[in-house]
Amino acid sequence: MRHRIVLQNITHSFEDGGMRRVVLDNLNVSVAEGELVAVMGPSGSGKSTFLSIAGALLEPTSGDVLVDGQSVIGKAHQELSDMRLHKLGFIFQSANLIPYLKVEEQLLFVAKQGGMDKKQATGRARELLQKLGLTHRRSAYPEKLSGGERQRVAIARALMNDPAVLLADEPTASLDASRGMDVVRMIAGEAKEQGKAAIMVTHDERVLPLCDRVLYLEEGRLVEH
Ligand code: ADP
Ligand code: MG
């Protein structure tokens, strides 16, 4: 079983009105290929901070993040942004689609950023749209889509460059129960089929049965109950 992402001894503190506030305190977690891990915890417990560090968007105060064995710490700006493009896929609470691009163009845009050639990108976009049930929407602009469709486009976009790790921050927050289940089923299915590691921050108890492990962020660490 290959670990696709490993967070080692992650500590993170913020300066807060002259005081140092430790949000993550020697946190350790590894996620293997095929695994979907849910992360829960009250507001302010550090979930988004954790996910930003896992996704190389924020450098921890100390500790290391390994993605497919490759360390994130100490990398130059360009190397980090390449790593984010190729190894990490992000899905946020709201889909954050680009308003002036059609569905298919949203996918081609990230493929281009990742340096994929046009023919391969077109093929992959078609394949993902088909898989996520969006083929008939490929020429629609985001404003014409339902919340569930938007979130499926966001998943397709996150998968476009075939990342090792999927990171989702409350991906079902803006969806009704059944759409929310669909979205998490897709994330879980993609992890299983493609051997990706997935980490999902969620408040949504209903989707927990679809996850392989549920971890709680408590006192700066991830614990199993
Ligand atoms: P959650 O996502 O679980 O609600 P966050 O990771 O957003 O929690 O925040 C954890 C704590 O860190 C909160 O107390 C928040 O105020 C603080 N925090 C988050 N980002 C910053 C920042 N950029 N500067 C200072 N404090 C921050
Ligand atoms: Mg948050």
Side-chain angles (χ1 to χ4, degrees):
M1 197 175 61
R2 181 166 55 132
H3 283 135
R4 301 214 75 176
I5 184 163
V6 178
L7 282 87
Q8 280 174 341
N9 308 116
I10 297 293
T11 294
H12 197 74
S13 56
F14 289 113
E15 196 72 42
D16 184 11
M19 296 265 289
R20 275 208 98 63
R21 204 177 150 243
V22 177
V23 177
L24 304 178
D25 182 14
N26 201 26
L27 175 152
N28 284 281
V29 68
S30 302
V31 183
E33 57 187 350
E35 217 185 0
L36 168 59
V37 173
V39 171
M40 303 193 85
S43 176
S45 59
K47 303 179 299 296
S48 294
T49 303
F50 158 73
L51 215 57
S52 301
I53 290 171
L57 293 165
L58 177 68
E59 183 159 349
T61 309
S62 64
D64 202 357
V65 180
L66 304 171
V67 178
D68 276 351
Q70 216 188 335
S71 171
V72 161
I73 303 307
K75 282 230 173 352
H77 191 77
Q78 184 60 46
E79 270 182 296
L80 266 186
S81 92
D82 284 348
M83 197 160 170
R84 280 194 294 269
L85 263 172
H86 294 283
K87 290 286 188 184
L88 299 157
F90 295 91
I91 302 159
F92 299 100
Q93 177 171 343
S94 61
N96 293 321
L97 302 177
I98 301 169
Y100 54 84
L101 293 181
K102 294 174 183 173
V103 166
E104 190 170 27
E105 292 168 345
Q106 309 270 344
L107 306 192
L108 297 177
F109 180 70
V110 292
K112 191 171 179 191
Q113 285 182 307
M116 199 184 298
D117 76 60
K118 182 115 194 257
K119 188 151 176 251
Q120 191 192 350
T122 309
R124 177 142 179 93
R126 295 259 153 95
E127 197 182 296
L128 284 170
L129 291 176
Q130 165 86 34
K131 192 169 188 176
L132 295 176
L134 289 163
T135 301
H136 63 298
R137 303 304 261 152
R138 72 172 180 274
S139 301
Y141 286 99
E143 60 165 10
K144 299 287 186 209
L145 304 177
S146 69
E149 285 173 333
R150 271 181 217 155
Q151 210 51 326
R152 280 185 278 152
V153 176
I155 294 173
R157 181 181 58 184
L159 293 171
M160 194 59 196
N161 291 331
D162 196 22
V165 182
L166 279 174
L167 300 169
D169 199 350
E170 300 195 42
T172 66
S174 62
L175 303 177
D176 65 41
S178 105
R179 295 276 178 237
M181 290 293 274
D182 285 345
V183 158
V184 178
R185 247 183 235 113
M186 280 172 201
I187 294 171
E190 201 58 34
K192 296 273 162 313
E193 283 169 35
Q194 306 295 327
K196 298 179 187 306
I199 302 176
M200 173 177 66
V201 166
T202 188
H203 286 295
D204 191 347
E205 304 258 346
R206 292 169 304 206
V207 304
L208 298 183
L210 298 169
C211 302
D212 298 294
R213 272 191 286 161
V214 182
L215 301 177
Y216 295 82
L217 198 45
E218 284 174 4
E219 296 175 358
R221 294 178 189 200
L222 280 172
V223 295
E224 230 156 312
H225 277 202

